[in-house]
Amino acid sequence: MAATEQRRAVREASFLLADVQVAGEDSACRVKVRNLSALGMMGEGPIKVVPGSRIRVKFDQSVEVKGAVAWVQQGRFGVAFDEEVDTATILGAS
């Protein structure tokens, strides 16, 4: 990521856990959500993804979001959500 990169949405620092399932895989992997915005998130964990991977993120029993991996670097990855999410709902549900 470039140091001069501009963010389109405010990111909330967080420490959430979420289950991430890669399209075509049978099981999900528990990851740490390091930050969250209405348009995406940064995750960290032992999941094997590459940029462009389609994924489903399940924050709790009622909040599930689909998106695509935007970048991967040293065990962390960025996700661009398909649709804008309400971060207050996600943060309040955890």
Side-chain angles (χ1 to χ4, degrees), residues 11-31:
R11 295 215 181 299
E12 303 269 351
S14 66
F15 184 76
L16 304 173
L17 294 176
D19 293 317
V20 175
Q21 185 173 7
V22 179
E25 297 290 325
D26 293 329
S27 60
C29 181
R30 176 69 44 112
V31 301

Side-chain angles (χ1 to χ4, degrees), residues 7-79:
R7 299 286 184 190
R8 295 184 301 147
V10 175
R11 295 215 181 299
E12 303 269 351
S14 66
F15 184 76
L16 304 173
L17 294 176
D19 293 317
V20 175
Q21 185 173 7
V22 179
E25 297 290 325
D26 293 329
S27 60
C29 181
R30 176 69 44 112
V31 301
K32 296 173 187 170
V33 178
R34 292 295 184 183
N35 64 47
L36 176 69
S37 80
L39 301 173
M41 64 173 243
M42 177 175 64
E44 178 180 16
I47 191 167
K48 302 290 185 201
V49 292
V50 297
S53 295
R54 297 291 306 160
I55 63 170
R56 180 174 54 202
V57 183
K58 195 169 190 178
F59 291 100
D60 69 8
Q61 296 302 320
S62 63
V63 181
E64 188 174 293
V65 181
K66 292 182 181 178
V69 174
W71 57 267
V72 178
Q73 186 177 36
Q74 298 177 344
R76 293 185 176 185
F77 59 97
V79 176

